[in-house]
Amino acid sequence: MSPSPFDLTSLLGYAPATDDAYLSVVSQGPGRKIATSLGLPAPVALRRHDPDTPAVPGPVLVLGAGSGTTTTPGSDPDADALAQHLLTRGFEVHRHGDGLRRVGAVVLCLTGLTELGGLSAPALELGGLLRSLAPGGRVITISRPADGVAAGGAASLPTAADDPAAGTAAGGAPFDVVDRNAARQGVVGFLRSVAQEMRGGATANGILVADGVAATAPSVLGGLDFLLSGRSAFVDGQFLVVGSDAGPEGLATAPQGETPLDQRVVVVTGAARGIGEQIARLLHAQGARVVPVDVPAAGQPLSELANQLGTASLPLDVTAPDAGTRILEHCKTRYGRIDGIVHNAGITRDKMLANMDESRFASVLAVNTEAPLRITRQLLADPAADGLRVVGLASTSGIAGNRGQTNYAASKAGIVGMVAALAPVLAERGGTANAVAPGFIETEMTAKIPMARRQVARRLNSLQQGGLPLDVAEAIAFLLSDAAAGISGQTLRVCGQNLVGA
Amino acid sequence: MSSEPTIQPASDPTAPRQLRSAWVVAGNRTPFARAGGPYASTSVQEMFTAALDGLVARTGIAGERLGAVAGGAVLKQPKAFNLVRESVLGSALDPQTPGIDVQQACATGMETTSLIANKIRCGQIDAGVAGGVDSASDAPIVVGEGLRKVLLQLNRAKTPKDKLKALAKLRPGDLAPVAPGVAEPRTGLSMGEHQALTTAQWGITRQAQDEIAANSHHNLAAAWDSGFFDDLVTPFRGLTKDNNLRPDTSVEKLGGLSPVFGKNLETDPTMTAGNSTPLTDGASAILLATAEWAEEHNLPKLAEIVDAETAAVDFVDGNEGLLMAPAYAAPRLLARNGLKLQDIDLVEIHEAFASTVLTILAAWEDADFCKVNLGLDEPVGVLDRSRLNVRGSSLAAGHPFAATGTRVVATLSKELKARAVAENRPVTGLISVCAAGGQGAVALLRAYPES
């Protein structure tokens, strides 16, 4: 009677589909021809994770930096090592594009980049391959973060100053570090532009590996698995920032599989419906023991979800002063521990600031930011929270700002700040804190946006469509998993490269 | 999600069996709704299924096979003959869980509690659900006796001629439907009129009744406001809270209502819509289990079902009030357990009417009643009112007949446990529920500070 963990359709409650009628008309056939000839947006259905189809829709090409039009093995040790790991994973790996008519993914290893000019050759080589990139293909850069520049909302990482190699360089020829920093940040602008040129549901993302962390660190490989797969379908033009070597050694040989959260006790707030429900379902499908939390008033859908997942519901208001203590008590009583929490519960009370009243402003801050802060603080007061993985829900509104959402944007930007500062606190106890910032996601809430505005909002990203709650859930599941053990303090956007506030 | 079949042989099947303790581990109910409200078009089966599903979700036991689910409804359509089993089949429980329909009027929930607790105590089952449900909105309406006889004859008729013969007997008056009565079949009096007689007999004042009603609303409102019901109630059909609750009512406001019962008596009528329970829809359920089962499932042992007693009085030919049976049942239960009323920390007396509570309390204080009717040398005594219905009762919550018993058991169990932990001592509670037919069920619960 029990559904197989891989029966995604039944476990996730619905087949991944949207009510985006325009997308279904233009994604194929005559509709697509008409849209293309008129210069209209021509989105296609994205490639999403399916355990029965290959993780990548074709061969994987690994290119290195500064080695001319064809990358010769041996000239770039990081590229060689990455290629080897991908080969071990069973991919068809190539080191040059000659003769390849179809490419599933291009991994561009730029860790050795010391001056921006070195980007020309691999960039142009990639350019020559883009027409061969399969629908749903991937371009992924692996590079080092520039010092002093936040990457897509990411907190700055220890770089040149902490890097012994850079220290020598700085001692010998101080200006080399400046050249290198320009080159490193150049990769960011390059990748984000590549992402905007992708077609056919293909995406381009990067991994920034902190100086001192191996280019083949577990979370680089785990991040590569995530970005190559359909699990990152709506992540586009973004960077995963790997700040440590933490993570399981097993990632050297194989991805983490279908149930990376096996037996993990993970709390999801606001789980009764919408994105929260999808998060709970996906975490359950990935093996977690989910503790779905929602306000008592949402008890009926919360009960239905809990019973479908075979777990115990926890009806409580996250703004209650003792919410964190009660969550902790529940987890300790039922499971003897807590491994993660997804602060998903959130509300909007939109008004132009000139018309804003105190209750609208305060209630949004109370639910979206103050509750996660208070709950996390209460959880961390207990040793049972050692190793805790915290995931907050930010929003592209919190990064770029949004008219009529001063309260909401403040609350969501607050989450970006929260996870950045939590990261070092949790690092001492073996945990991580990250946030996911969704863009336009097809939910009950966005379905209420007037038709014309909704159609525009959907198209304002590189993938020209809204994301699904599942896409947000996939990013969260990744950040909760051991594959992301080396990623902390970061905010990952799941927005299809929203053109606003990139 | 079905649990694996397990048959475990007893370690020594010939050894005499010890009684085990039965524990309340969780409770859940729908918010109660005044009849004709949000649940007006909802069947008792849907409501009981919702109460079960909420309980299963609360405790995380989806797919588990339980020893039994016992429940029932006072107002039940003939097609719902297997109401509880059908509800189980529609719930998240393992479909291999048996269902038992029980009916003892308003004491149904108390009897199902007793039934499941006893099965556990005797070692027949390790865990089960007790509950009850009623809908005054979706009550069965039956055809009149004349039409019923014609239809039965029609069914037996073989030839067209016989069929016509049967139909010819039909008279227009036979077509009028018969609504369910709340009148006692043997006296023709409604429950309210019966209680009005008892109220007058004991000289219960209007003021005293309105105070009971106001307290009920204030206590229930405070419980809701403090989040007490967060883990005892699951919203249903858009209703998140008992909709009969009037937090801002007062003795003064209640004093303005016109009497509805006892208007033909010699004494002034005192019973109003404010100090009588309204017709209500709702369902409730509790999960009972052995200590071992609770521990295996990481569920708390809220309170032990220590003992139960049911009494019945002769309200037809004798001169006892219809709803006075608990006045007899409770002293018997207390005596059997070596307890006095004053040993009880919390008392729940179901407020069918405010005066039901007051006449029972008055009887216990009355030396004559206690000597003559109960055979006690000393009166049962005075109940400290601060121990009575501390989280509100039926006047405020409403009273879906069969659902009231397990509403009270769940509420009291949680409250007893909280006090046992806070005061670090065992805390004992007594429940009294009166029922039609001159019946009354009482139960003794006890919570301990240890988890």
Side-chain angles (χ1 to χ4, degrees), chain A residues 292-312:
Chain A
V293 172
D294 214 313
V295 288
Q300 201 176 0
L302 188 68
S303 290
E304 282 169 27
L305 175 72
N307 287 342
Q308 285 174 28
L309 304 187
T311 187

Side-chain angles (χ1 to χ4, degrees), chain A residues 403-429:
Chain A
R403 192 180 150 90
Q405 288 198 317
T406 48
N407 50 356
Y408 185 74
S411 75
K412 291 301 186 181
I415 293 298
V416 176
M418 177 184 90
V419 298
L422 264 177
V425 176
L426 279 159
E428 287 175 19
R429 299 173 60 175

Side-chain angles (χ1 to χ4, degrees), chain A residues 1-3 295-300 302-304 306-317 326 330 332-336, chain B residues 1-2 50 52-63 92 95 227 230-231 233-238 240 297-300:
Chain A
M1 298 271 290
S2 164
V295 288
Q300 201 176 0
L302 188 68
S303 290
E304 282 169 27
N307 287 342
Q308 285 174 28
L309 304 187
T311 187
S313 65
L314 179 57
L316 71 83
D317 184 341
R326 282 158 66 188
H330 178 93
K332 284 170 73 178
T333 312
R334 305 282 319 195
Y335 307 106
Chain B
M1 296 287 282
S2 307
L52 287 179
D53 275 345
L55 185 66
V56 169
R58 202 49 69 61
T59 49
I61 56 166
D230 282 5
D231 58 358
V233 177
T234 303
F236 183 59
R237 294 284 148 100
T240 58
H297 289 75
N298 295 315
L299 288 165

Side-chain angles (χ1 to χ4, degrees), chain B residues 74-394:
Chain B
V74 174
L75 303 173
K76 200 163 83 166
Q77 303 195 29
K79 67 181 178 190
F81 65 95
N82 226 350
L83 163 69
V84 176
R85 172 64 181 147
E86 291 298 330
S87 300
V88 167
L89 286 172
S91 79
L93 286 169
D94 184 334
Q96 299 179 76
T97 301
I100 312 160
D101 274 46
V102 175
Q103 209 269 49
Q104 195 182 45
C106 307
T108 301
M110 296 297 288
E111 260 335 297
T112 57
T113 300
S114 198
L115 171 63
I116 295 296
N118 288 345
K119 280 176 172 284
I120 291 169
R121 283 153 58 93
C122 291
Q124 295 173 345
I125 65 173
D126 293 328
V129 171
V133 55
D134 252 299
S135 169
S137 304
D138 195 40
I141 288 182
V142 295
V143 299
E145 201 56 8
L147 177 56
R148 191 177 73 89
K149 287 194 169 136
V150 169
L151 291 173
L152 287 172
Q153 197 185 337
L154 194 63
N155 193 41
R156 285 192 298 268
K158 300 262 191 302
T159 65
K161 192 184 162 197
D162 287 346
K163 285 184 182 173
L164 272 178
K165 223 189 220 169
L167 281 171
K169 288 187 184 164
L170 203 58
R171 298 288 170 268
D174 293 337
L175 296 175
V178 181
V182 286
E184 282 294 327
R186 289 173 188 277
T187 61
L189 288 183
S190 74
M191 196 173 270
E193 290 303 331
H194 263 291
Q195 182 58 31
L197 294 171
T198 317
T199 307
Q201 183 194 335
W202 287 96
I204 305 298
T205 67
R206 168 77 184 267
Q207 169 84 13
Q209 293 175 51
D210 288 346
E211 281 170 7
I212 290 278
N215 270 334
S216 188
H217 283 280
H218 297 158
N219 286 345
L220 188 75
W224 272 109
D225 289 347
S226 69
F228 181 80
F229 290 113
D230 282 5
D231 58 358
L232 291 178
V233 177
T234 303
F236 183 59
R237 294 284 148 100
L239 187 63
T240 58
K241 213 176 192 181
D242 308 316
N243 72 0
N244 185 58
L245 176 61
R246 302 285 177 272
D248 53 355
T249 194
S250 64
V251 175
E252 291 69 39
K253 283 183 187 171
L254 288 162
L257 298 172
S258 302
V260 290
F261 299 117
K263 289 194 281 194
N264 300 321
L265 301 179
E266 288 172 10
T267 50
D268 282 341
T270 55
M271 293 169 61
T272 68
N275 58 39
S276 308
T277 50
L279 289 174
T280 314
D281 306 337
S284 70
I286 56 169
L287 179 61
L288 294 159
T290 61
E292 293 71 27
W293 193 94
E295 279 151 22
E296 275 166 23
H297 289 75
N298 295 315
L299 288 165
K301 300 193 294 288
L302 295 178
E304 182 188 356
I305 306 288
V306 179
D307 200 357
E309 172 82 16
T310 307
V313 296
D314 183 359
F315 67 100
V316 184
D317 301 318
N319 54 5
E320 191 47 273
L322 177 72
L323 303 180
M324 288 299 280
Y328 294 76
R332 298 203 306 234
L333 178 73
L334 291 172
R336 184 160 71 230
N337 288 275
L339 292 168
K340 292 185 177 311
L341 181 61
Q342 293 69 31
D343 298 328
I344 307 299
D345 298 287
L346 293 171
V347 176
E348 286 278 342
I349 303 180
H350 158 54
E351 301 163 335
F353 304 91
S355 71
T356 318
V357 178
L358 292 164
T359 52
I360 290 170
L361 293 179
W364 286 344
E365 290 174 23
D366 189 278
D368 269 0
F369 175 89
C370 292
K371 189 171 176 55
V372 176
N373 300 55
L374 305 179
L376 297 174
D377 294 334
E378 282 182 17
V380 172
V382 179
L383 174 70
D384 174 357
R385 291 291 184 88
S386 69
R387 302 180 178 191
L388 176 67
N389 296 351
V390 295
R391 294 296 189 173
S393 184
S394 302

Side-chain angles (χ1 to χ4, degrees), chain A residues 27-110:
Chain A
S27 60
Q28 55 196 337
R32 176 154 201 88
K33 279 192 184 134
I34 294 166
T36 319
S37 62
L38 291 176
L40 291 172
V44 299
L46 301 181
R47 173 172 70 87
R48 291 193 168 82
H49 175 71
D50 172 2
D52 298 328
T53 57
V56 181
V60 179
L61 187 58
V62 179
L63 302 178
S67 50
T69 48
T70 53
T71 314
T72 39
S75 64
D76 185 334
D78 284 351
D80 292 348
L82 285 168
Q84 190 55 50
H85 284 294
L86 290 168
L87 201 59
T88 314
R89 279 162 158 69
F91 292 121
E92 181 187 336
V93 179
H94 294 257
R95 298 303 307 279
H96 55 80
D98 294 353
L100 277 179
R101 278 181 302 153
R102 183 183 157 101
V103 180
V106 181
V107 176
L108 206 53
C109 183
L110 301 168

Side-chain angles (χ1 to χ4, degrees), chain A residues 375-391:
Chain A
I375 289 170
T376 308
R377 182 192 293 252
Q378 288 170 358
L379 294 182
L380 291 177
D382 195 290
D386 283 352
L388 188 73
R389 293 264 159 83
V390 176
V391 178

